[in-house]
Each structure stands twice: as C-alpha cells, then as structure tokens.
Amino acid sequence: MISSVCTLFEGHYHYGVAALSNSLYNKGFRGTIYVGYRGVLPSWALEGKKETIGKWNEAIILNPIEGIQLIFLELTTGYSLTNYKPDFMLELWEGPAKDAEALFYFDPDIVVIDSWACFEQWANCGVAVCEDINSPLQEFHPRRQGWRNYFKNYNIDLTYKNQIYVNGGFVGVVKKNIAFLHLWVKLQESMGDAIGGLDKSIFLNQTHNSTIVKMEGFQFFDKSDQDALNATIEAYNRPVSYVGKDGMGFVSGEAIMFHALGSLKPWKVNHFARLFNGRIPRKEDVAYWRNSKSPISAHSKTKIRKKQLAINMSKFLGRFYKV
C-alpha cells in the first residue's frame, strides 16, 4: 500500500513535527510526510530544497534519510489549523498526494510507538479513529442531541453509532473512503456559523481572548473540529474502525501512539520542577525525547542528553519523593 502522512503546525510545534517524523521512520514508515505550516520555518526544515509542487511555488523538500521525505507547504487559510485537517487532506489527495492509497493525519504532539503496519491494517478496517480521554458520550447526552438538532437545520441527519467519543488528533483514511473527508468538511463549514467562524477553536480560546460564540446551555461545539469529527461519524454510513483510550496512551494497555494533551508539551517540560510537585515524567515525555535524536535533530545533542538525564533522575527520585 502506498501511504502518506500529513500534519499541521505553527510556532514551537515544529519540535513535535520532528519527533513525530522520527517515530514514524523508526517504526517502519517509508514515504512522504506532508507538513502544512503557517509562520516561519525552523532552521532544521530550511535545510531542504525549494521546489514547485502543485499550487505551492515554494514548497520545501527535506530528505533526512533514505526512504522518507518531508514536504513543507505554506498555508494561506484563515482557519484555525485545528479546523483545517479534512481540507488539507483533501487538498493533498487532489494534488501532491494523488497517488497515495491511504492518507493519515497526526497532530504534531503525537509520537508513534507501534509498527507502521498496524496503522495500514487499521485503516483498511474502516476510517481509523481513536477514543478520546473524555469518552464516553451517551446516546442522549445533550451534546450529541445538540449536534443532531443543529445539523438537521442544514439537512444533515445524524444516526447514533455508539457511545465512543473520538480524539481529533488522528485520522486514517483509505482512498475508497474519501467521502468521509468531504462529509467532515461539510459539517465543519456548517458548524462555523455556530462558533463564529472556523478561525475560532478551543485552543485559541485557551491562549487568547478569541472566544467561540457562546450559546445558552450546553456548549456542544466547544471542541470545534473534534465535535465536528464525532458528528461526521454519526452522519457517515460506512465502517468506522475504533481503537480505545489505550491507543493514545490515555489509560493502561497496549498503546499505539502517545498523544501529549494539554498545553504543557514534552519539549517544554521542566522535569525537576514537576518532580518538586510530586510528578514523575509522563510516558509521552519519555517517548518524545527517545525519538528526538534521529533522523531529524530539532534539538542540540547536548539538550537531548540533558533532558534524557533529567527524565531518568526524576523517575528514580520519584520513587522516594511524594507530595
């Protein structure tokens, strides 16, 4: 199977793009990783060559090691990037990734820890999605009912599938299921009226005073793209393949990837400060720094060594120090 991967980033999330790419390579992925970005590229990405790829006149192609390449594509959309995922996937399939038989989106704060073969097998079972930490959401939960009532105004009928609420950080789609992406775009565009435009997201709300338009009662779109993704699953009439919370390491079990939720990303963590608060390094922190060295180095060798030493010391001292 010819598979491609894509991700979206701006700002300091380029560190996550590097570790995600390394983890994909280390677990057997061979092919192209399309990186949509806004703002300034980091120095490690600028080592690539500029080329014209489809509508992008100044795409940058980075070949860090044989068998894998990263293609950086500057975005002009005004959408919050978290709301741009299905649009970007469709742009790729209609352009530079037209030959891909499967396309996988990963948030740039994910590190892959299981073999790439697992992901391709997963997507062949149906649209591949992973249960969120906030799952489950029952059939008649006000949020689900809110989606049904809202989208009915746009002539979109939702049918309850199960109580699983999925995370928006990962989606895997084979080309025969491309209709899922078109449907996701349609629901997000309809959702835009409710949240004041797709330039809004929960993440902007956390860091700026750019708030989602508030409705009275339950806020059934306060997770923007993730809510639209879950609503799309209810509107979709073909198979969807779910992996549970263990898939992203949210609970104990056989993780396939680690997803660093929240604002404290692995590349920003001060492990000794966390230790003083009685917290040992998280699994996602360990996995991030384990995949930070090669084939792409977004950090200096000295910083990587210091972080790995801090993790090991914190894990050891954490056995004796509790708050």
Side-chain angles (χ1 to χ4, degrees), residues 15-27 110-113 258 284-299 304 308:
Y15 293 114
V17 172
L20 168 64
S21 302
N22 289 345
S23 70
L24 285 163
Y25 179 81
N26 294 335
K27 292 302 178 180
I110 288 177
V111 172
V112 169
I113 61 169
F258 286 133
E284 51 265 42
D285 298 325
V286 176
Y288 173 82
W289 288 104
R290 189 173 289 157
N291 285 279
S292 62
K293 191 178 297 183
S294 65
I296 299 167
S297 291
H299 302 282
I304 294 171
Q308 291 177 329

Side-chain angles (χ1 to χ4, degrees), residues 45 205 255 274:
N205 193 29
R274 281 177 58 82

